[in-house]
Amino acid sequence: MLKHVLPGARYNSLARDPPPRCLPGTRVRILEDIDARICDKDTRIIWLKGPAGSGKSAIMQTLAEVQSSRTILATLFLSRDHERNDPKKILISLAYSFAILDPTYCQLVEERIALDPDFLSLCMDEQFKCLFVEPFMHHIVQDTRRWVIILDGLDECRDEADQCRIVDLIRNSVLHSQSPLLWIISSRPDAHIVASFSRVKDCVTGFWEQEVPIDSLDASEDVNRYLHVELAKIRELHCDSVPAPPSSWPSDEEFLQLSQLSSGFFCFASSAMKHVASANPLSRLQHILSPKCPLAPLDLMYNQIMSRVPSDVLPNAKAILGFYALHRPSSPIYHSSPNDNQDVGFLTLCNILQMQKYSAYAALRQLSSVLISPSPMEAKDLGIEIIHPSFLQFLGDPARSGFRNVELAQQLERLWNCYLRILRQHKKAKSHSGIDLYWSPHDGTSSELQRVLLCAAQRGLISLLINYSHHDCPRHSCPKAAGLQFKYSDRIASELDELGTMVLDCAEFDIEPFVEWLTRHTGLYIGRTISHERKSLQDLNTERLLGKMYAQQRCLRVVSPNAASDPRTSLFLGKPGILESAENNDNFQKNSNTLVELITTCKSKPDSFRIPVTLIRLSNNLSDQRAVVGPVNGDDASGGMYYVVPY
């Protein structure tokens, strides 16, 4: 029998020493809840579920150590890495654990093998009946203690079909036999396993499931407690390498950064502590706190997850993940606004990417341990939830993820074209109703979805411009120039010109960063020849730009009455006090001189007319200087619309 057992898979096996276990004082609520269920004789199946790296194995190990003295306990910790994942040996391994603990059970198994020496080679259904059903019929086994089976990492089992088969066998045994066994199973919430346990939930009254979240307050507090303990060990181990007194390292600010990076994610925290402890703690900690720091255990886990995505759906998976990597980067230079597409609904996302419902869900089927996707009924309002940002960082770095990286440059090009397609369809039809849908909402609100798609395309196009179009920016003056970028080329200029005045509609809610991009990061392309007589953004005129600025409360606007003298003198140099009110207006935000640079270059209507810009200094302090722009609706100095802009 021993040769049919998975070696090193029991909770106290030397091959797993030291095993992951819960630090005292952590995971208290989860452990107490499971312990209460174990004491309840009506509980027959417990499913512990959680994303990859959430600490499920540590919880199961701690449970096993506690229950080993209270129950007749069989344990099995599956591992794909260590080849402890052969489905043909799972049931026999669990039975072996029972056999060495209970003589009566051992005798029954020996008699069965003697009767049929080929018994251990029978199918899984026959093995389950002979090992976990028949020995407990008619109370043949007399030990009154609870018989408990702990099976950790069901998702690590080699074959998906066998994972589901094991759950189905357990369900049927609970429904149709008097077996006293309590099954405690942990796994990631992969779609096929969720479906199997859903069938259990529907028909087994003694079923209970426990989630292990990573974004809860309890999880964050537990991770912080773990970090404090591990850092204390590192200070003691490297007492000659940390500042004196040792308690001053790391600083409160550094610990807060480390805590925020971990975000309740035990896998990240444990990987980080191993990295810090392995060499110079000070430099290693700074490495951890640097952007996009790679950690080998995380990379190994993420590579395993991505390797399960079938090649035929991998391009769609990359497109979806690339969308979030582009719109949710952790870089501090990324301009993130409430109007960005970070939280777009999954239904909207699929229509942006021209992806049908079933294709999208097939692409994400193997990624449920690192992201949470809404059900089709929820997809209109809910988007994809990436469980930890380190996953997107891993995918965006080819050195870490290899051929499975999401190829951000390629996804950037694809996303630009997707946004452009939606805007072109809107312009051609002169209505949002002309936008194509690839997945229609179940409640018949297609028109509403098309409006949402239009807004998403407008926001998205500007977001890609201001965050990634920095090809010509000097690296010393533009921090974004060193990152991912696409070139502002003749093609891009032509496409923006094709949209015409729609560009300002796209930039309406992000007008200030858009103005900055126009003037500082791209060398002010408005009306300027790029090459071959191509001029960019030719329809972006000053009147519309200032109107958008005013609508977003980025400047003041004054309608001048008829006056004999220049209204710029009468209005802005004193008596009505317009500039003073500007200083006291909470909505009047300080701006750089980029807008004035833009105005002096931008065209007006008619083309030959340039809008006057008058600079006024309120005091000897240069910061008190303002620009008065106007009139913007004509060349008659006796009246018109004027704007007051910080300069």
Side-chain angles (χ1 to χ4, degrees):
M1 186 177 186
L2 186 59
K3 67 180 181 179
H4 293 273
V5 170
L6 287 171
R10 288 153 61 186
Y11 84 97
N12 54 359
S13 295
L14 179 63
R16 299 183 62 249
D17 190 34
R21 57 168 62 90
C22 297
L23 186 74
T26 63
R27 303 301 200 191
V28 173
R29 184 185 60 80
I30 293 177
L31 290 168
E32 287 179 347
D33 287 348
I34 296 177
D35 187 65
R37 295 289 174 172
I38 293 174
C39 295
D40 183 358
K41 296 296 184 181
D42 291 331
T43 305
R44 307 295 300 279
I45 303 172
I46 296 175
W47 179 33
L48 186 73
K49 62 178 181 178
S54 58
K56 299 182 297 297
S57 293
I59 293 172
M60 296 290 270
Q61 175 70 27
T62 304
L63 278 175
E65 292 174 356
V66 171
Q67 296 300 324
S68 61
S69 60
R70 302 178 182 176
T71 61
I72 304 295
L73 180 69
T75 61
L76 197 65
F77 287 76
L78 302 179
S79 173
R80 194 181 300 261
D81 294 345
H82 300 91
E83 298 183 351
R84 296 194 297 264
N85 63 343
D86 187 348
K88 296 182 178 64
K89 296 183 177 182
I90 289 177
L91 299 180
I92 298 172
S93 299
L94 291 170
Y96 180 80
S97 293
F98 278 154
I100 61 177
L101 292 174
D102 187 86
T104 304
Y105 182 87
C106 181
Q107 181 180 351
L108 291 171
V109 173
E110 288 177 343
E111 290 174 356
R112 186 67 177 82
I113 295 176
L115 184 64
D116 181 5
D118 195 39
F119 158 70
L120 297 177
S121 300
L122 296 180
C123 68
M124 195 177 289
D125 297 54
E126 285 297 318
Q127 286 185 6
F128 192 95
K129 182 177 70 173
C130 295
L131 296 174
F132 301 111
V133 177
E134 291 177 352
F136 299 96
M137 293 175 63
H138 312 298
H139 305 287
I140 297 174
V141 176
Q142 298 297 320
D143 198 308
T144 58
R145 287 180 295 171
R146 194 88 198 256
W147 289 64
V148 177
I149 293 176
I150 289 180
L151 176 58
D152 178 64
L154 178 63
D155 54 281
E156 295 286 303
C157 180
R158 189 181 298 160
D159 187 83
E160 284 187 12
D162 286 325
Q163 296 170 20
C164 297
R165 193 175 180 187
I166 289 171
V167 176
D168 290 341
L169 287 170
I170 295 170
R171 180 197 61 185
N172 291 333
S173 72
V174 170
L175 287 174
H176 304 299
S177 73
Q178 299 300 314
S179 171
L181 295 177
L182 167 62
W183 295 81
I184 306 177
I185 305 167
S186 74
S187 76
R188 299 169 184 173
D190 293 344
H192 60 285
I193 297 179
V194 171
S196 293
F197 277 109
S198 294
R199 292 191 291 272
V200 175
K201 187 176 182 179
D202 290 341
C203 58
V204 176
T205 56
F207 172 73
W208 185 67
E209 62 183 81
Q210 170 68 56
E211 186 169 3
V212 185
I214 68 170
D215 56 353
S216 68
L217 180 60
D218 285 349
S220 296
E221 290 177 349
D222 286 348
V223 166
N224 286 349
R225 190 175 289 111
Y226 168 82
L227 290 173
H228 278 299
V229 171
E230 292 301 310
L231 286 168
K233 292 179 182 178
I234 293 171
R235 287 194 296 266
E236 183 178 351
L237 181 64
H238 296 272
C239 57
D240 57 343
S241 304
V242 297
S247 58
S248 65
W249 179 87
S251 67
D252 291 343
E253 181 181 354
E254 289 171 329
F255 184 85
L256 179 60
Q257 285 182 267
L258 188 59
S259 174
Q260 290 173 339
L261 284 173
S262 299
S263 302
F265 190 30
F266 263 98
C267 185
F268 183 93
S270 62
S271 300
M273 290 300 92
K274 290 175 183 177
H275 184 74
V276 172
S278 63
N280 184 335
L282 273 69
S283 62
R284 286 297 180 97
L285 179 60
Q286 292 307 311
H287 183 228
I288 292 291
L289 300 181
S290 64
K292 301 184 180 180
C293 167
L295 292 171
L298 275 180
D299 288 0
L300 177 62
M301 180 180 72
Y302 289 147
N303 265 307
Q304 289 176 347
I305 293 169
M306 287 301 294
S307 69
R308 302 179 189 180
V309 181
S311 58
D312 59 327
V313 299
L314 186 59
N316 282 344
K318 288 183 176 182
I320 294 171
L321 294 171
F323 176 90
Y324 287 106
L326 290 168
H327 281 299
R328 289 185 185 177
S330 58
S331 170
I333 63 173
Y334 179 83
H335 169 75
S336 179
S337 80
N339 303 296
D340 203 349
N341 286 336
Q342 299 180 47
D343 298 314
V344 68
F346 189 46
L347 175 63
T348 303
L349 167 61
C350 291
N351 278 289
I352 289 173
L353 298 176
Q354 300 171 267
M355 202 175 295
Q356 295 180 339
K357 176 173 68 174
Y358 299 110
S359 298
Y361 280 106
L364 300 181
R365 180 178 173 83
Q366 298 295 336
L367 298 176
S368 55
S369 57
V370 288
L371 57 81
I372 300 172
S373 55
S375 69
M377 298 295 289
E378 301 171 320
K380 179 181 175 182
D381 301 314
L382 300 180
I384 297 292
E385 180 183 346
I386 305 296
I387 291 174
H388 197 266
S390 59
F391 180 55
L392 292 180
Q393 295 170 1
F394 160 81
L395 290 173
D397 187 346
R400 298 170 62 188
S401 51
F403 76 91
R404 297 184 183 92
N405 84 90
V406 294
E407 300 163 323
L408 284 180
Q410 179 178 323
Q411 302 307 330
L412 181 61
E413 180 82 10
R414 173 175 178 166
L415 196 52
W416 173 270
N417 291 333
C418 287
Y419 289 143
L420 198 63
R421 170 188 58 83
I422 293 172
L423 295 172
R424 281 170 169 163
Q425 289 174 349
H426 169 72
K427 183 178 181 181
K428 181 179 180 180
K430 299 181 180 180
S431 169
H432 61 270
S433 61
I435 299 172
D436 292 339
L437 296 182
Y438 294 82
W439 172 8
S440 297
H442 65 87
D443 55 3
T445 55
S446 295
S447 180
E448 177 187 339
L449 175 59
Q450 288 167 318
R451 277 193 292 267
V452 170
L453 282 171
L454 176 61
C455 292
Q458 291 174 330
R459 295 194 303 259
L461 193 82
I462 296 303
S463 175
L464 297 188
L465 276 177
I466 63 180
N467 284 293
Y468 300 112
S469 183
H470 300 277
H471 181 79
D472 295 326
C473 297
R475 288 174 178 258
H476 67 275
S477 62
C478 175
K480 298 182 182 181
L484 175 70
Q485 57 186 239
F486 68 91
K487 184 176 181 179
Y488 190 89
S489 61
D490 283 351
R491 181 180 70 85
I492 300 296
S494 175
E495 289 167 347
L496 290 176
D497 284 345
E498 177 189 346
L499 295 177
T501 56
M502 287 182 67
V503 173
L504 265 183
D505 294 330
C506 295
E508 182 170 358
F509 295 103
D510 279 321
I511 193 71
E512 200 161 19
F514 179 61
V515 168
E516 182 182 0
W517 174 79
L518 286 170
T519 58
R520 293 201 168 183
H521 291 283
T522 63
L524 194 58
Y525 285 121
I526 300 177
R528 177 174 294 183
T529 299
I530 306 298
S531 64
H532 307 298
E533 301 303 319
R534 160 60 61 188
K535 291 186 178 181
S536 177
L537 297 175
Q538 298 177 78
D539 292 320
L540 186 59
N541 62 79
T542 308
E543 293 95 326
R544 286 179 55 80
L545 179 63
L546 286 170
K548 296 292 185 183
M549 291 288 289
Y550 174 71
Q552 296 303 312
Q553 298 178 330
R554 295 298 187 264
C555 63
L556 290 182
R557 184 168 71 184
V558 179
V559 180
S560 169
N562 291 329
S565 61
D566 189 332
R568 283 167 290 180
T569 301
S570 61
L571 281 176
F572 302 115
L573 279 182
K575 301 302 181 183
I578 297 298
L579 289 178
E580 286 77 3
S581 66
E583 282 295 301
N584 297 322
N585 189 336
D586 292 337
N587 291 324
F588 188 67
Q589 301 186 13
K590 291 279 186 182
N591 196 354
S592 63
N593 61 357
T594 56
L595 179 63
V596 175
E597 295 172 19
L598 181 62
I599 292 166
T600 57
T601 309
C602 199
K603 292 191 310 180
S604 179
K605 302 295 182 183
D607 291 348
S608 60
F609 175 66
R610 293 287 179 180
I611 296 177
V613 177
T614 303
L615 300 182
I616 298 176
R617 187 170 297 171
L618 302 181
S619 68
N620 291 329
N621 190 340
L622 288 177
S623 64
D624 286 341
Q625 185 167 268
R626 298 290 184 272
V628 179
V629 183
V632 297
N633 61 340
D635 54 5
D636 181 5
S638 65
M641 197 77 71
Y642 291 81
Y643 291 84
V644 183
V645 183
Y647 183 61

